[in-house]
Amino acid sequence: MGRVKLRVLAECYANKCFAEILEASIEGVTGVGSIVHSAKMGRDKVLKKAERATGGLERGELLLLVIDYERGPARRYVEVKFKVLGDLYEGTLRIARSEDSKAIAVIFDPDIEEFLCKVTGR
C-alpha cells in the first residue's frame, strides 16, 4: 500500500492533541505537522475550512476532521452532513464520513472531555 498524506483540521486544543497522537500512530501516513488549528477555530469554522479544502485535495491525500458533536440545535448540522460509520465507547466517539465522501471525521459526542472521562473512568 502506498503512503497517504493526511490533512487534519482540529476544532479545539484537546482535539488537536488527539489528532497528533492519531496521526503519529497510523502506519503509512505522512504529513506530521499538517494539523491546522488556531484559537479561533470552533466546529463551524473547521467545517467551512473542510468544504474549501476538499476541492484542493491531491491524489493520495485524505482530509481528517477532529470535531465535537456539540449540544442542542448545533447537533443537527453534523447529523445532516455526516454518515456515522462506527459508534464507540458508548456513543462518546463516532467515526463518520462526510456526505460527499471527501472527509473522514472523528466526532466526540458531545465533546472530547466526555470521551476522556469514559475511557479513563474519571
Side-chain angles (χ1 to χ4, degrees), residues 104-119:
I104 300 295
V106 173
I107 305 170
F108 296 102
D109 185 7
D111 51 45
I112 193 168
E113 293 83 1
E114 196 76 24
F115 166 76
L116 293 173
C117 288
K118 180 67 70 180
V119 298

Side-chain angles (χ1 to χ4, degrees), residues 79-94:
E79 290 167 357
V80 169
K81 292 288 186 180
F82 292 90
K83 178 182 178 190
V84 174
L85 304 174
D87 190 339
L88 308 163
Y89 299 101
E90 298 175 21
T92 59
L93 176 68
R94 296 165 193 249

Side-chain angles (χ1 to χ4, degrees), residues 11-92:
E11 177 181 347
C12 68
Y13 286 113
N15 290 4
K16 179 181 183 283
C17 291
F18 182 85
E20 288 170 349
I21 293 166
L22 185 63
E23 186 179 54
S25 66
I26 301 174
E27 189 175 323
V29 169
T30 61
V32 175
S34 64
I35 299 171
V36 176
H37 172 75
S38 73
K40 297 181 181 181
M41 283 292 261
R43 190 200 63 183
D44 293 341
K45 193 162 192 170
V46 166
L47 295 172
K48 284 180 186 171
K49 282 183 175 277
E51 281 184 27
R52 288 193 303 266
T54 55
L57 291 176
E58 301 169 10
R59 184 180 174 143
E61 190 172 31
L62 176 66
L63 180 62
L64 177 67
L65 310 177
V66 183
I67 60 176
D68 294 338
Y69 206 166
E70 305 299 343
R71 293 173 172 87
R75 292 175 69 87
R76 182 77 181 127
Y77 186 83
V78 171
E79 290 167 357
V80 169
K81 292 288 186 180
F82 292 90
K83 178 182 178 190
V84 174
L85 304 174
D87 190 339
L88 308 163
Y89 299 101
E90 298 175 21
T92 59

